[in-house]
Amino acid sequence: MAVAEVDGVAEVVGPRSLPLLKRLKEFTSMVLFMTFYLAITAWNYGYDVGPLPEAFVRPADNLRSFIERFGDYNAKTKTYAIPSYLASIMNSFPYLGKLLGCWAAAPIAERLGRKKAVLTITFTSFVGVLLQLTATTAAQFTIGRMLCYAMTGICVIVMPAFMAECAPAILRGMVTTQLQLQIVVAQLVAAAINYRTSTSKSDAGWRISVGIQFIMPGLLLLLYPLIVESPRWLLSQGRNDEAASSLRKLRKKNVSDKAIQEEIAVLSHSDGNEGKGTWKEVFSGSNRRRTGITAIVMVGQQITGQAFVSQYAVVFYKKQGFTNSFELGMIMQALGVIAVICTTFVVDSFGRRHILLGGGVITAIFLFIMGSMGTISHPTGTQKNVMVACVMLWFFFYLLSWAPMPYVVLGEASSRRVVEKTNNIAVSLSVLSAFLVSFTVPYLIGADYANLGGKVGFIYAGLGVLFTSLTWWFVPEMKGRSLEELDRMFEDRVPTRKFRNAEVRPLQL
């Protein structure tokens, strides 16, 4: 990054696109460290999604003690089971905790800073995991999960913005997608740990699965003194000297102090970095459009079936008669890891918009196919295999597109003046969408309720088409632009489909 000044106008300039190897050279040691550190704040969220739903379909292994402790005994079958209503509560109510976390995150990040929000994430995780480990009732266990999900609400509000504010524009997509990579890696680890503890018939089995979640907040606390505060947040607080010091640590060593001061001067003259705005600003002027963009991608990330596949895929496989449902789930999670790694390397080349549109179309197709197979009263083995393949391929292309991309868009679409408030609105709507899907799935696929089976694909496919269409009309391409450039592009009302190649009005000093 450099600062260019011509005839009284200045701009932080840099390449809009670079080949992969040259792009990787733009990483400094501090940017690389911050990317890793901020990404692992999402690890526990991904991990927590893994162990619990397994208990609903795998009573014969390590989670049998979990079911006996929190489930109901059926005298006719002489077995314990988690009833559908309790499964629905235990998997959906944590999203209410996430919603509370969202509303706590905005004032913390806005007034106290991004670093203090990381401390909040750490301590909330510790308390939530402790409540789960010591739970003797389903209520206590669910409250523990709600606290862990509250941590996630804080994470999703703050981390995309924190990452976007620290990363060079050319690396912003690659950096922010690491949140999703940590989530899906954690899901795979959770599945593997469940498998490794499968010989345990005592409470130790599920307690080990839950207790693993102490590791990441411990690591966050240990490394906390090494992280830097967001330069843009410091500027918004009028702490210019501290902002310069923070920026110095993020930039390459060969960047002169004069260049750092010039960049700080340019950033401080951007309206987005001059103080914090009110709630009224979130829905005023160009911010109304920006709020709508973040809402589209964050709601679309959840309401198109994410909770169905991530939480209930193994349940779905079991209900289709597959005896190797756990192994199928492991394969699916491994495909997800591969998908996000692929996206990491192409997001700053292909851009956000193309990936979202392509992924939306492909995932909808697989869901329509799954729905069609579900209409067959007595499907053959081949037809059941097609349904399973559709779920896995949906998951792969979802992890390639609609899983990581919304975090990238969330981090860059909002004005810095109201980024915490805008993200709060978008993530809150996302949480409500996830709650709706998570709460309704057991009733949609449960044999004692709607019993839709594969036909549930029609519901999520239709929603996928809707949000892909909204993306086409409203979500612009923002790759390679500085956050300050994006501010002026939105202020100048650049049309959605002209964002990619638009000339940007320079900043007047």
Side-chain angles (χ1 to χ4, degrees):
M1 303 293 286
V3 177
E5 184 172 353
V6 180
D7 297 330
V9 298
E11 189 64 79
V12 179
V13 296
R16 292 267 320 280
S17 182
L18 285 175
L20 177 60
L21 292 179
K22 289 186 177 180
R23 200 184 320 141
L24 292 175
K25 291 179 181 178
E26 293 297 310
F27 274 103
T28 65
S29 57
M30 180 55 75
V31 170
L32 192 62
F33 169 71
M34 289 291 289
T35 299
F36 165 76
Y37 184 92
L38 299 180
I40 64 172
T41 59
W43 199 90
N44 270 11
Y45 171 56
Y47 185 90
D48 186 75
V49 172
L52 182 58
E54 300 289 327
F56 306 151
V57 293
R58 301 176 60 225
D61 52 32
N62 65 304
L63 293 171
R64 182 174 63 186
S65 61
F66 180 94
I67 295 175
E68 292 176 352
R69 179 175 290 275
F70 301 116
D72 293 339
Y73 182 71
N74 188 319
K76 291 182 180 180
T77 61
K78 296 182 180 181
T79 59
Y80 284 88
I82 302 286
S84 293
Y85 82 90
L86 186 56
S88 178
I89 290 172
M90 294 179 78
N91 260 340
S92 61
F93 270 48
Y95 287 103
L96 298 179
K98 187 175 180 180
L99 189 62
L100 293 175
C102 291
W103 287 91
I108 291 172
E110 185 176 286
R111 298 170 189 172
L112 301 180
R114 289 31 172 154
K115 288 184 65 174
K116 294 297 191 297
V118 172
L119 275 183
T120 307
I121 288 170
T122 302
F123 288 111
T124 305
S125 294
F126 277 129
V127 175
V129 176
L130 183 62
L131 282 174
Q132 291 179 73
L133 273 180
T134 59
T136 56
T137 65
Q140 181 181 334
F141 191 90
T142 303
I143 290 172
R145 290 194 79 210
M146 289 178 70
L147 275 176
C148 287
Y149 271 52
M151 169 276 296
T152 304
I154 301 170
C155 174
V156 177
I157 292 287
V158 179
M159 293 309 121
F162 200 172
M163 289 173 146
E165 291 165 2
C166 291
I170 197 68
L171 295 173
R172 197 167 58 234
M174 179 179 286
V175 167
T176 314
T177 55
Q178 299 312 298
L179 277 173
Q180 185 61 48
L181 181 59
Q182 288 297 322
I183 290 172
V184 72
V185 166
Q187 289 174 331
L188 180 61
V189 171
I193 288 175
N194 281 347
Y195 181 74
R196 291 291 296 175
T197 58
S198 61
T199 56
S200 173
K201 305 301 181 183
S202 68
D203 282 348
W206 67 267
R207 290 190 195 278
I208 289 172
S209 294
V210 171
I212 293 294
Q213 294 176 91
F214 276 130
I215 294 175
M216 281 306 165
L219 184 60
L220 289 172
L221 193 60
L222 179 66
L223 299 177
Y224 179 79
L226 303 179
I227 67 173
V228 299
E229 182 57 273
S230 161
R232 287 175 171 88
W233 180 81
L234 290 168
L235 284 173
S236 74
Q237 304 299 304
R239 295 156 62 177
N240 290 29
D241 290 342
E242 293 176 63
S245 176
S246 181
L247 189 64
R248 167 82 273 173
K249 294 176 182 178
L250 292 165
R251 293 291 179 257
K252 292 182 177 179
K253 292 181 179 180
N254 61 0
V255 177
S256 67
D257 290 338
K258 180 182 178 181
I260 293 293
Q261 291 300 327
E262 289 174 343
E263 185 173 351
I264 287 293
V266 171
L267 295 178
S268 64
H269 277 79
S270 173
D271 291 341
N273 296 323
E274 294 181 346
K276 289 297 180 181
T278 64
W279 277 102
K280 183 179 179 180
E281 288 185 43
V282 175
F283 303 101
S284 300
S286 63
N287 285 335
R288 186 187 305 113
R289 178 186 180 189
R290 303 172 82 163
T291 301
I293 290 168
T294 59
I296 287 170
V297 295
M298 291 307 295
V299 173
Q301 184 193 51
Q302 297 295 332
I303 207 166
T304 52
Q306 178 276 142
F308 162 63
V309 177
S310 66
Q311 296 183 16
Y312 292 100
V314 175
V315 181
F316 179 75
Y317 300 150
K318 186 79 172 181
K319 290 183 180 297
Q320 302 309 310
F322 288 91
T323 57
N324 61 338
S325 58
F326 171 74
E327 288 78 6
L328 292 173
M330 286 283 289
I331 293 171
M332 186 183 75
Q333 296 295 346
L335 286 173
V337 173
I338 294 170
V340 181
I341 291 173
C342 291
T343 299
T344 293
F345 292 116
V346 302
V347 59
D348 289 310
S349 300
F350 291 176
R352 295 71 160 129
R353 179 177 165 85
H354 288 167
I355 294 175
L356 284 169
L357 291 173
V361 170
I362 294 172
T363 53
I365 289 172
F366 285 124
L367 286 171
F368 275 124
I369 295 173
M370 186 181 82
S372 299
M373 293 295 102
T375 61
I376 302 172
S377 300
H378 302 287
T380 64
T382 300
Q383 290 164 338
K384 289 182 178 181
N385 288 339
V386 170
M387 279 196 284
V388 170
C390 285
V391 172
M392 290 191 177
L393 289 170
W394 180 93
F395 192 70
F396 177 84
F397 284 100
Y398 173 78
L399 266 293
L400 202 66
S401 55
W402 275 87
M405 284 305 102
Y407 296 129
V408 179
V409 174
L410 185 70
E412 61 193 8
S414 307
S415 166
R416 296 305 101 181
R417 278 182 59 82
V418 291
V419 62
E420 298 88 0
K421 295 180 176 69
T422 302
N423 288 7
N424 192 352
I425 295 294
V427 177
S428 294
L429 292 172
S430 171
V431 172
L432 291 173
S433 302
F435 173 82
L436 178 65
V437 174
S438 185
F439 187 82
T440 56
V441 165
Y443 299 102
L444 292 174
I445 67 175
D448 47 347
Y449 293 99
N451 196 26
L452 291 181
K455 294 191 289 294
V456 75
F458 287 131
I459 298 173
Y460 301 126
L463 291 168
V465 170
L466 172 61
F467 278 87
T468 301
S469 301
L470 290 172
T471 299
W472 167 261
W473 286 108
F474 298 110
V475 180
E477 181 53 71
M478 293 176 279
K479 81 176 183 74
R481 306 280 191 182
S482 73
L483 299 176
E484 290 68 34
E485 282 183 297
L486 292 174
D487 283 342
R488 298 196 293 284
M489 293 175 77
F490 280 111
E491 288 170 5
D492 294 343
R493 301 180 184 278
V494 176
T496 297
R497 288 178 291 284
K498 293 185 179 180
F499 247 73
R500 191 180 187 95
N501 300 311
E503 293 294 326
V504 184
R505 168 176 54 87
L507 177 67
Q508 192 77 36
L509 292 181

